[in-house]
Amino acid sequence: MFKKPITTPQKSKLKSSVQRSLRQKLLDQFPLLAPHIDEILPKKSQLDLIKLPDKISLYALDSNVLFWQHFDDALIPHLRLVHAYPHAFPRIQVDRGAIRFVMAGAQLMCPGLTSPGAQLPDAAEELKPGQVVAVGAEGKENACMVGVLKMGTEEIKKVNKGVAVETGHYLGDGLWKFEEV
Amino acid sequence: MADTTTETTVPAKVTLYCGICTLPPEYCEFTSTARKCREWLEKEHPDLVATIYNSEAVEAAMSKLSVNAQEKAAKAEAQASKRAEKEEQKAEREAAKKASSRVTLKRVERAKRKHVIVVTGLEAFGLDLKKVAKDFGKKFACGSSVTKSAAGQDEIVVQGDLSDDILEYLEQQYPQVPFDNIDQIEEKKKKKAEGGAA
Ligand SMILES: [Zn+2]
């Protein structure tokens, strides 16, 4: 999603009503963030909306992007947020071999998630398509990518072919390097 | 995913980010600056080096190498440390240069009883003159721009008699410029006959 550096963003202040509904949406999507929401997004804070081409909106607090979305889709956290609250986001894991590809901006394919070094939740805790997931990596503590599941985790195991996670934000991409001026 | 009760007390995790590539250091090995990254970690967080670069896999792989390859690896390591040493010396030289660099706030009379302050030497402290000029302009609500001096050196010209204010602001806002390195001077006027007034 952010393979190229971000340029010429347009920034505006978010209406407080919009900010409230975003806050609610964030909590609906990630209930485990509830204990931290006041820390992440204090009640009296002012979020900035940064509009990028291709209907991407970044939401930033004091020049730090907290999360973003494509059009009106799911809110996706910035990786810094994932690193700060790792337990609040459902996690899958790629094997070591896939890290290099993820960080080069390649789409995350099923086999990288089903090999011995990878991890997917058990069937009982299946994650459905559309779920926002943090992508960890074999032997690494922190997530290297965050994105949206294109297939459910059980389907990934079964089909084991094709793109598994899309709309990704990964370490070192344009969003990671984006600093507001 | 209910059961938040045990999670409520987990505080935000503070993640260390690499001073070179900005990623968590465990991912430095996948960047183009991997070597510099490692040197940074060795310097800034020596206690973490063993954990982050431990990977038994790497060691296991090393032990499987032929004697020849092991010698090569050792040679590469030696070269790397030599390079690191050279860069360190270079950094030291630069630090020494910085310590002796002067910043000058020169008060220059433009029109009668109007002054500008010409600030020179900030670039030696790694500052972006354009940004600093903009900063001055905002802080003092006055014109402030980067121009080239006759000698071809970039300097910041601040429109207003603000030498003391700039000095104070530099001290607060730009701690990388040692206060003792800043000089305030007055441009010597070409002694015209002080016509008129008596
Ligand atoms: Zn690094």
Side-chain angles (χ1 to χ4, degrees):
Chain A
M1 197 99 262
F2 300 100
K3 253 183 131 160
K4 290 189 203 134
I6 294 172
T7 47
T8 61
Q10 297 206 323
K11 190 169 113 176
S12 58
K13 291 198 186 311
L14 218 54
K15 272 197 213 153
S16 61
S17 58
V18 180
Q19 182 167 334
R20 268 201 302 279
S21 68
L22 273 176
R23 183 186 164 105
Q24 192 52 50
K25 184 167 177 176
L26 199 62
L27 287 175
D28 292 344
Q29 266 184 254
F30 309 106
L32 294 180
L33 273 186
H36 311 291
I37 193 71
D38 286 332
E39 193 181 348
I40 298 167
L41 190 49
K43 282 225 167 66
K44 284 191 176 158
S45 60
Q46 170 68 61
L47 273 184
D48 289 322
L49 164 65
I50 299 162
K51 285 204 167 196
L52 303 183
D54 301 326
K55 304 218 154 135
I56 294 173
S57 304
L58 311 181
Y59 300 98
L61 183 62
D62 301 330
S63 298
N64 292 315
V65 176
L66 295 179
F67 46 91
W68 57 280
Q69 69 186 151
H70 174 242
F71 191 51
D72 201 15
D73 302 344
L75 293 172
I76 303 178
H78 191 284
L79 274 168
R80 270 194 311 263
L81 205 59
V82 178
H83 294 161
Y85 305 99
H87 59 277
F89 304 97
R91 186 175 188 276
I92 60 176
Q93 179 174 306
V94 294
D95 60 45
R96 192 180 152 86
I99 301 175
R100 199 170 286 283
F101 295 101
V102 165
M103 287 174 58
Q107 286 179 306
L108 184 44
M109 313 302 269
C110 288
L113 289 164
T114 54
S115 69
Q119 273 174 24
L120 287 172
D122 295 337
E125 286 169 28
E126 184 191 1
L127 300 170
K128 303 275 190 236
Q131 173 70 50
V132 174
V133 288
V135 181
E138 180 182 6
K140 305 292 180 196
E141 184 186 350
N142 294 292
C144 59
M145 179 184 180
V146 56
V148 180
L149 279 181
K150 198 174 180 195
M151 297 182 196
T153 49
E154 286 308 294
E155 197 188 348
I156 293 174
K157 292 180 199 169
K158 232 173 276 159
V159 180
N160 200 17
K161 225 165 67 184
V163 177
V165 177
E166 56 182 2
T167 333
H169 154 44
Y170 55 93
L171 284 178
D173 68 1
L175 179 57
W176 180 264
K177 289 188 185 136
F178 173 62
E179 266 175 59
E180 244 191 290
V181 276
Chain B
M1 47 182 81
D3 193 345
T4 53
T5 44
T6 52
E7 310 278 8
T8 46
T9 50
V10 179
K13 186 167 154 275
V14 179
T15 306
L16 171 74
Y17 292 115
C18 173
I20 306 294
C21 72
T22 75
L23 307 187
E26 56 183 357
Y27 286 102
C28 288
E29 56 172 319
F30 298 104
T31 66
S32 57
T33 51
R35 182 173 299 279
K36 273 192 166 172
C37 290
R38 181 169 182 155
E39 284 166 16
W40 175 84
L41 194 74
E42 279 166 355
K43 204 166 168 206
E44 304 293 327
H45 303 275
D47 48 318
L48 296 179
V49 175
T51 350
I52 286 169
Y53 290 93
N54 92 334
S55 84
E56 287 156 18
V58 174
E59 273 165 36
M62 272 297 278
S63 69
K64 275 184 212 140
L65 291 176
S66 66
V67 178
N68 188 8
Q70 282 197 24
E71 274 169 10
K72 266 190 191 163
K75 214 171 171 184
E77 186 63 35
Q79 275 178 348
S81 67
K82 214 183 223 171
R83 211 170 317 160
E85 205 175 297
K86 266 191 189 160
E87 277 190 15
E88 203 169 311
Q89 284 170 354
K90 194 175 153 205
E92 264 170 36
R93 276 200 303 277
E94 273 167 14
K97 198 175 151 203
K98 259 186 201 175
S100 63
S101 290
R102 309 299 301 178
V103 172
T104 317
L105 309 182
K106 185 167 72 174
R107 186 166 179 259
V108 181
E109 185 166 356
R110 274 290 145 88
K112 204 161 210 177
R113 297 175 67 198
K114 291 239 192 271
H115 294 84
V116 300
I117 305 297
V118 180
V119 186
T120 50
L122 286 174
E123 66 283 350
F125 297 93
L127 295 172
D128 178 346
L129 293 187
K130 275 195 179 155
K131 276 191 189 148
V132 179
K134 206 174 162 196
D135 210 11
F136 285 168
K138 269 192 209 156
K139 168 73 185 170
F140 304 116
C142 66
S144 172
S145 59
V146 179
T147 57
K148 265 207 188 329
S149 70
Q153 197 197 6
D154 280 334
E155 54 189 26
I156 300 175
V157 179
V158 182
Q159 308 289 328
D161 195 356
L162 294 161
S163 190
D164 293 341
D165 305 72
I166 296 170
L167 183 68
E168 195 180 313
Y169 186 63
L170 281 175
E171 188 187 10
Q172 288 168 2
Q173 214 62 30
Y174 296 96
Q176 64 268 56
V177 183
F179 191 66
D180 290 337
N181 287 36
I182 307 175
D183 302 312
Q184 287 180 291
I185 62 170
E186 191 97 8
E187 188 178 55
K188 290 164 209 80
K189 287 198 193 97
K190 296 157 209 138
K191 266 287 174 200
K192 281 183 210 157
E194 293 259 328

